[in-house]
Amino acid sequence: MMNIGMTGPTESRKGGRTLMARLRALFRDRRGGVFVFMAAAAIPLIGFIGIATDTARMFMVKSRLSSAVDAASLAGGKVFFAPGRDADVRMYFDTNFPPDYIGSTVTAFDIKDDEEEETLTVSATASVPTSFMRLFGFDTVSVAADAEVTRRQVALDVVMAIDISGSMNEGAPGGGSRIAAAKTAAEDLVDILFGNDSSKDFLNIGLVPWNAKVNVMNRDETFAPVSTKTEAVASFKNPETGWPQDKIYYANNSPVPLMSKPDADWKGCVFNRYKDGLPANAQADTEESTHSGGGFDWKGWQPIFPGDDAAHPQWAGEPVPSWGVCKLSKSWQECGSCPTSRILPLSNSKSKILDAIDDLSAGGNTNIPGGLGWAWRVLTPEPPYTEAVLDPDYDREQAIVLLTDGENCAQSGDGYRAAFGLCGWAGSRDGMDDRLRLLAANIKANGVRLYVIQFANEGSALQALLKEVASGPNTPYYYYAPSRDSLLLAFHEIANHLAQLRLSK
C-alpha cells in the first residue's frame, strides 16, 4: 500500500477555513491602524501648519512696514523743502521699523517727490525668512508697503508781525544784522508755504512791520492830501479830543478811518487807541471790533501829525485838544518817527509778499501790542482790512507770527502818548505788558494760532511774557532764537507746522 504525504480533501477544507478566519480577524482588528493614517497625513499637515506660521509672520512684518512708511512719509511731508528731508524720512522709518524685526531684512527703500504736485512717496520692501515653507523650496518671502502724502494749505491766512525797532539794526549772532536775518527767515517761510507756485488759492500772507508805531498807508500808493474823503457818521464823543464829532476821514491810500483830517505832512501812522479810566473789556485795540465805554466811541484812529498842535493847520477853526498832538516840536525825531515800511494786507501773490519783506528797514522804539493789534486787524475780514474772505466750503486756519527782539518801551510821541509812563519809568512797562496779555488772550480766544519768536534777547522777564502771549509755552508756538541760524530754524519749523498734511494714498 502506497502512503502518500498529502493532506486529504477533508483536511484541506479545514485548513482553508482557518486561514480565511484569521484574515477576516486581521481586517476587523483596527488596533494601531491610526498610526498608519497619521504617518500618511503628517507631511501635508505639517506643511499647512508651517505655511500658517510663516504667513502670520509675513502679515506682522507687512503691518509694521506699512506703519513705518506712513510715519516716514508724514515726517517728510512736514519738511518737504528742507535740505535734510530724506535723512529725516529714513530716521523715522528706522525708528518705526527696527533692524532684524522678526528676523526680517529691509531690501529696498525709496523716496520720490513731485515738487509740482507737492507729493512725497515713500516705499520699502522687506525679506522675511521662512521656517516651514523651506520644505517647499521657499527660503524667504518679500513684503512691500508704500505711502504718499500731499502737502496742502487750505484756506490758510497768515500775518507776520515783524519788529523793525532800532535794535533790529544791531548785529545778529552768527553774522549780519538782525533785520537782515529776519527778512531771510520770513522769506523762507513764504517759500515753504508757496512752494514753486507764484500764487495759491486759499493761501494768503500779510505783513505788519512795527516799531513804536505802525504805518497804515498802502504799499506803492502815494498819499494825496487833496484826495482825502470825508464821511458823515452818527454823532459821537471823540475819546482823543473829548469833543463831539459827526464825521470821519479816509486818506486816499489807506482803508483806516481817521478821526481827524490828515494834513500834507502825515507820514501814515496813527495812535493806538487807549483811554485811562475805562475797564479793560471796553478798551479799543484789544478787541476784534470797535468798542465804546465811559461815554466815548472809537469810530476810527487819530493820525499822528508832525509839528506843534497850536500852529498846526488841522486845528484852525476847531477846538485844540488839551493833550496836543505830539507835544513835541517838528524837529523832534520821535514826533515824526513813523516807519517807512507799510502794512501789506493779505495777499496770495508770492512776489508781492517777498517784495514787501525785502523793503523792511529798522528804526524807532518798541510797542509789541501795537504791532500785534494791527496784525489781528489785517487777519480779520471786518474793516478796515477786508481781504480775509470767508468761504463756507472750506475750513479757515488763521495764524500770526510775531517776532521781537526787545521789551515794551513807551515814548511821548508813540502809541499811547506815555499813558503808561515813559520808557524806564517804574511801572510804565507793566501797563503795556498787561495790555499785550489782554490782546493776546482775545486773539487766541478767537481761534487764531499765535507763534512768537524771541530773537537775540535772552531776557527772562521777556521770555516769561512771550511764552504767555504765544499759543503754547514751547515749540511749535514759542521759540527763543539767540542767533541768526536759530531764527531761520524757528521760521522753518513754524512754516512746516502751518502746512497741513493728509494721507492721499
Side-chain angles (χ1 to χ4, degrees), residues 88-104:
D88 284 355
V89 170
R90 187 65 200 234
M91 179 187 71
Y92 271 84
F93 176 81
D94 291 340
T95 301
N96 287 277
F97 193 85
D100 198 35
Y101 177 70
I102 316 183
S104 64

Side-chain angles (χ1 to χ4, degrees), residues 394-407:
Y394 291 86
D395 292 331
R396 183 170 179 254
E397 294 289 342
Q398 300 170 280
I400 295 174
V401 181
L402 174 67
L403 165 68
T404 184
D405 75 334
E407 299 174 281

Side-chain angles (χ1 to χ4, degrees), residues 327-399:
K327 296 185 177 179
L328 298 169
S329 67
K330 191 170 184 176
S331 62
W332 192 269
Q333 181 186 9
E334 194 56 53
C335 199
S337 183
C338 180
T340 57
S341 301
R342 304 176 181 183
I343 286 178
L344 174 70
L346 289 172
S347 171
N348 70 346
S349 169
K350 182 180 180 181
S351 62
K352 184 181 291 187
I353 300 165
L354 293 176
D355 287 344
I357 295 171
D358 191 57
D359 288 343
L360 293 178
S361 60
N365 275 299
T366 304
N367 184 339
I368 305 174
L372 182 58
W374 281 103
W376 192 20
R377 257 161 248 130
V378 169
L379 193 62
T380 57
E382 293 80 16
Y385 294 96
T386 58
E387 286 77 12
V389 178
L390 299 180
D391 190 322
D393 294 329
Y394 291 86
D395 292 331
R396 183 170 179 254
E397 294 289 342
Q398 300 170 280

